[in-house]
Amino acid sequence: MKKIIAIFASALILIALIYIVGLEIRAIKNAKVEIYDAKLGKINLIHRYVTLNLSIKIINDEKKRIEDLQGKFNIYILNVSIGEMNFSKIDIPSYSSRSVSMRIKIYFDKVAESIVEAIKKLNFKITLKGYIKGKIFFSLIDYKQKVEASYQYI
């Protein structure tokens, strides 16, 4: 009888763990990344760069908290890569969001002339492509999810 109780208890614990890990994976998998603001900062004509400040929102619409979420993105303007950005370890409670601000310097000699002209005219599309990564299974395992977000700067 004790064996049956031990097997039953072990099965319940295993089912509970699988359920919790499933909720954690679903929260990261369904997280939404949105660019909600983009501002041109400092324009340095001597060193030939412009600073781009991006504000992104990471939304968790699931019932499980996302722990130690971090992200790494390639930034594109007019489908041309202009650099990388990342953010480090934030927690997002269930049914909520967090905002992250990131800054990148765009050196004119590193990008096509068409991108420089689009930035000067203040009319261009910014796209983030990359991943977010959070912790699951009592923060012992990393789980990655690809993401993409766009913003039309006008």
Side-chain angles (χ1 to χ4, degrees):
M1 183 67 169
K2 287 183 181 181
K3 271 188 174 179
I4 294 174
I5 292 173
I7 291 171
F8 183 72
S10 297
L12 281 178
I13 291 170
L14 182 61
I15 290 169
L17 285 174
I18 291 170
Y19 177 73
I20 290 169
V21 169
L23 289 177
E24 292 171 334
I25 289 172
R26 192 165 81 188
I28 296 169
K29 198 176 214 177
N30 292 334
K32 295 179 192 88
V33 175
E34 297 176 354
I35 305 170
Y36 68 88
D37 194 23
K39 291 185 176 143
L40 286 177
K42 182 179 180 181
I43 298 173
N44 188 321
L45 297 176
I46 295 170
H47 294 100
R48 300 187 42 82
Y49 72 83
V50 62
T51 302
L52 179 64
N53 300 305
L54 291 180
S55 298
I56 66 169
K57 184 184 290 187
I58 301 103
I59 303 164
N60 178 10
D61 285 334
E62 297 294 329
K63 60 183 169 181
K64 186 69 176 150
R65 171 186 181 89
I66 300 174
E67 305 220 355
D68 292 339
L69 188 72
Q70 51 191 321
K72 185 173 183 178
F73 309 103
N74 287 317
I75 311 301
Y76 297 84
I77 294 180
L78 301 177
N79 294 322
V80 175
S81 178
I82 59 162
E84 283 187 357
M85 297 179 132
N86 58 50
F87 67 88
S88 299
K89 297 187 179 181
I90 60 171
D91 294 337
I92 307 173
S94 58
Y95 303 112
S96 67
S97 65
R98 289 286 182 263
S99 295
V100 178
S101 296
M102 299 184 289
R103 179 179 301 162
I104 187 169
K105 283 184 180 178
I106 303 168
Y107 289 92
F108 298 152
D109 61 341
K110 303 280 187 202
V111 296
E113 188 64 32
S114 60
I115 293 174
V116 174
E117 290 304 313
I119 291 171
K120 286 180 184 176
K121 292 177 185 174
L122 302 177
N123 186 6
F124 54 92
K125 182 179 179 181
I126 303 166
T127 304
L128 300 177
K129 293 181 183 178
Y131 67 85
I132 54 175
K133 178 172 71 172
K135 297 285 190 179
I136 62 171
F137 194 66
F138 305 106
S139 296
L140 297 174
I141 300 171
D142 289 337
Y143 183 82
K144 269 187 182 179
Q145 179 64 36
K146 288 184 180 181
V147 294
E148 185 173 328
S150 295
Y151 181 85
Q152 182 66 43
Y153 191 97
I154 298 177

